[in-house]
Amino acid sequence: MNALHQYLFDAYRAASLGEPAPPAPGTHDVAVLRAVRDHRRAERARAGRPARGAVRTTLRRWLRTS
C-alpha cells in the first residue's frame, strides 16, 4: 500500500465518522524541508561554525588535500 491508498482509506474513515479529512500526501513537504534546513543552520550557528556554505567549504577542503 502506498501513501495515496493510505490517504484514501483515512479520508473514507474520516468521512464515515464525520471528522475532517486528513491533509493530502505531500501537502507539507516543503515546510518540513525548510524546517530541517533552519534547524541545521541553527545547530551550526550554536556550534560556532558558519551557518551557510558547509558543503562548499567541505568540498574545497577535500579538494585541497587531494
Side-chain angles (χ1 to χ4, degrees):
M1 177 175 3
N2 62 23
L4 179 60
H5 292 135
Q6 184 64 48
Y7 169 72
L8 292 174
F9 283 133
D10 290 342
Y12 175 77
R13 180 190 51 78
S16 65
L17 295 175
E19 298 175 354
T27 301
H28 303 292
D29 288 354
V30 174
V32 169
L33 292 174
R34 284 184 183 143
V36 169
R37 180 196 63 196
D38 293 345
H39 176 74
R40 292 181 75 190
R41 282 184 180 171
E43 288 294 317
R44 291 187 61 79
R46 274 189 288 252
R49 298 187 307 260
R52 304 185 115 236
V55 173
R56 194 176 312 138
T57 304
T58 303
L59 284 174
R60 279 192 200 130
R61 189 179 312 129
W62 182 76
L63 288 174
R64 278 189 228 146
T65 60
S66 298

